[in-house]
Amino acid sequence: MANPDFGSVGAWTDQTTGTTLTLAAPASIADGDILLAFIRYPGAEGTPPSLTGWALVDSITSAFQGNHNSAIMWKRASSESGSYAFTVNTGTSHGFVARFTSGIASGDPWTGTPNATTYSDDGGGGGAASGAVVPAVDEAFLVYWLSGADDATS
């Protein structure tokens, strides 16, 4: 198995109303690439986004400053074209899709246990996140996404 490599990323999308978040496909998708959707969505204990053919890797709910949720979803590319319309809770949602190449050719690319970590903030911006993931196989990579209540992401 080859080391997974970052390929490309689609545009960041902001959606302020409705229950559909349409994310642009990244450039140069080839069959077998792994696609990851990084989505931030509203609602206390909100239902994670959904789209046929995509699987939820993990999600986390933060009750701080208005109940913000984040999810990472994945699929293996197969004759891809256009954009992806995820069903989300009503309200403001954001996200993007990234493409990774050279990973395992079949089966579930996730090893170990996903570990969404809770970020705590004292209200003054001085918070901390904690958690750990140890890959179960060689030639793996870690994926993380930080999403803040002010819509800033890393």
Side-chain angles (χ1 to χ4, degrees), residues 36-102:
L36 297 180
F38 297 83
I39 300 173
R40 182 167 177 259
Y41 57 101
E45 298 299 324
T47 302
S50 63
L51 178 61
T52 300
W54 288 76
L56 180 66
V57 175
D58 208 355
S59 64
I60 187 170
T61 298
S62 171
F64 181 73
Q65 291 186 347
N67 300 310
H68 302 282
N69 306 282
S70 295
I72 299 176
M73 303 187 67
W74 83 277
K75 77 172 290 190
R76 188 176 309 284
S78 177
S79 302
E80 304 298 313
S81 64
S83 56
Y84 303 99
F86 289 88
T87 299
V88 293
N89 299 326
T90 299
T92 302
S93 297
H94 320 276
F96 62 94
V97 175
R99 175 180 68 89
F100 296 86
T101 64
S102 305

